Amino acid sequence: MRILVIGGGAREHALCRSLSLDPEVTALHCAPGNAGIAEVATLHAVDATDGSAVAALAETPQVRADLVVIGPEAPLVAGVADAVRARGIAVFGPSARAAQLEGSKAFAKEVMAAAGVPTARSRLCTTPQEADEALDAFGPPYVVKDDGLAAGKGVVVTGDIEEARAHARACERVVIEEFLDGPEVSLFAVTDGETVVPLQPAQDFKRAYNGDEGPNTGGMGAYSPLPWADPKLVQEIEQTVLQPTVDELRRRGTPFSGLLYAGLAITSRGVRVIEFNARFGDPETQAVLARLRTPLAGLLHASATGGLAGFPPLSWSEEAAVTVVVAARDYPATPRTGDVIEGLDAVARQDAPEAYVLHAGTKRDSKGRVVSAGGRVLSVTATGPGLSGARERAYRALGRIRLDGSHHRTDIAAGAAEQ
């Protein structure tokens, strides 16, 4: 199988790493990729949100893709999967209409209401007056969500009414909802529009600093499995959230094939959906794929071609996985870029294969050095016997890396490791 992966973050590096280890994959390409992905895939320049350009690349004699895997949300919402499918090429990723499940919080709420999926009570607001009324109705903590895509940073959860109002006014359309108590869980499911195949759950850490302090980010770390979760949790989520949502989208004539990501709160009243995404999450993908033993290419191809009903049960490692994100100076505000990253070779020599580095915001400079090129720069991922073992390996590897001004959380999976 010849595969083209679209994207250039740590999620795409995790996907490319797993695909490169799959014996069924005979050629692996990525566009635009990054400095780390270049070690396992052939890179190509492309505008990832230009469907015609992506489809043309997939058809080039060099690539000749049997499967295109679209990583980020922006190309999906822009209809890149539709453009590639129109050329007769299998695509892992939903259509633009189905991707509105992530592209519009209001659409997602509408689908959940129709499907009977449990979620927070909410209001869609288009004027400051409507927003103020909704904030007063729900009370603190205030949950304010930009209706559109915002790269994981469109949500404000705050006890400060003025901060909540400011965020609402900065959004053209905003969803304001009740706060959901309880621990959060991320659950991915691969689907072909009918059959749903859940992966193992993970938990991520959105706040920038230890103890869940600081602003929301795209994610500062993740771990899997969840030792504190009910063993029947995945089955419950599949039956009450994932399958009903997929069924409702198919009923509407917009079948969803690809990766359905459910962000959930395990509240005192039961499971509630916080949000849906239409693609693998970052950084949870790094931890979840580290534990997946089933070869990835066949699973993604079965999703793209409607073959999941006959796909064998997934196989998982008994080991735990922990991912810690290394962020650039001043992230998530205006991160500094262009700083040299040192120590990557030392991790490869001394910590692999149990620990390894997945690149996110990196590139090579004119001297061939790997430098920072984004806010979240690296994801250090490790597996081990239990979360304590995985944590120890991840942080030991991270300690070899030097990036001026960078910061990372030191408490990823710490609480769960003690359970």
Side-chain angles (χ1 to χ4, degrees), residues 144-379:
V144 186
K145 298 181 175 181
D146 189 335
D147 182 48
L149 293 180
K153 290 174 280 188
V155 178
V156 165
V157 180
T158 179
D160 183 338
I161 185 66
E162 293 306 322
E163 183 183 1
R165 282 179 177 148
H167 186 60
R169 281 159 173 69
C171 304
E172 187 175 333
R173 285 157 49 98
V174 66
V175 172
I176 295 174
E177 63 185 39
E178 66 175 328
F179 177 77
L180 296 173
D181 65 317
E184 294 185 11
V185 172
S186 298
L187 185 63
F188 303 157
V190 175
T191 177
D192 56 12
E194 292 191 18
T195 301
V196 172
V197 178
L199 305 188
Q200 289 283 297
Q203 186 175 61
D204 78 331
F205 295 76
K206 289 288 187 211
R207 300 285 185 170
Y209 310 122
N210 284 0
D212 291 329
E213 297 290 333
N216 259 355
T217 71
M220 294 298 291
Y223 68 92
S224 179
L226 311 181
W228 48 267
D230 187 319
K232 296 181 180 177
L233 179 63
V234 172
Q235 183 181 9
E236 178 189 349
I237 296 167
E238 179 182 0
Q239 293 173 350
T240 63
V241 174
L242 301 171
Q243 192 69 58
T245 301
V246 168
D247 291 345
E248 173 62 21
L249 286 166
R250 187 175 68 253
R251 188 191 66 77
R252 290 168 173 245
T254 56
F256 187 107
S257 78
L259 197 289
L260 177 57
Y261 166 131
L264 309 133
I266 313 303
T267 76
S268 54
R269 295 170 291 154
V271 172
R272 297 288 186 272
V273 175
I274 300 170
E275 65 174 353
F276 282 129
N277 290 332
R279 39 71 194 184
F280 279 103
D282 182 348
E284 299 98 319
T285 300
Q286 292 87 296
V288 172
L289 290 187
R291 300 184 56 235
L292 180 64
R293 290 291 167 261
T294 298
L296 185 60
L299 176 63
L300 303 188
H301 192 264
S303 163
T305 56
L308 282 177
F311 199 81
L314 301 184
S315 174
W316 295 92
S317 167
E318 291 297 317
E319 291 200 318
V322 170
T323 289
V324 184
V325 170
V326 178
R329 179 174 179 171
D330 298 329
Y331 176 80
T334 305
R336 191 174 76 186
T337 60
D339 290 307
V340 175
I341 303 166
E342 298 177 304
L344 298 175
D345 290 343
V347 175
R349 275 196 318 271
Q350 300 178 55
D351 301 288
E354 292 83 10
Y356 48 88
V357 178
L358 297 168
H359 292 230
T362 69
K363 67 177 183 180
R364 288 197 180 271
D365 67 7
S366 59
K367 298 179 180 179
R369 301 174 300 181
V370 177
V371 300
S372 60
R376 290 186 297 169
V377 182
L378 304 168
S379 286

Side-chain angles (χ1 to χ4, degrees), residues 72-115:
E73 61 273 22
L76 293 168
V77 172
V80 171
D82 304 85
V84 176
R85 278 196 189 94
R87 306 282 185 98
I89 301 170
V91 185
F92 181 80
S95 67
R97 289 177 67 192
Q100 282 301 302
L101 201 62
E102 176 171 4
S104 168
K105 302 290 190 299
F107 176 74
K109 291 289 188 182
E110 180 188 317
V111 169
M112 283 187 272

Side-chain angles (χ1 to χ4, degrees), residues 13-106:
H13 194 176
L15 288 165
C16 285
R17 179 182 181 274
S18 291
L19 291 168
S20 73
L21 298 172
D22 187 335
E24 294 296 314
V25 177
T26 55
L28 183 59
H29 299 265
C30 184
N34 60 41
I37 295 173
E39 297 176 7
V40 295
T42 302
L43 300 192
H44 304 268
V46 78
D47 177 353
T49 59
D50 184 335
S52 297
V54 172
L57 174 62
E59 288 185 318
T60 59
Q62 183 184 7
V63 177
R64 297 191 322 291
D66 300 307
L67 175 67
V68 175
V69 177
I70 302 176
E73 61 273 22
L76 293 168
V77 172
V80 171
D82 304 85
V84 176
R85 278 196 189 94
R87 306 282 185 98
I89 301 170
V91 185
F92 181 80
S95 67
R97 289 177 67 192
Q100 282 301 302
L101 201 62
E102 176 171 4
S104 168
K105 302 290 190 299

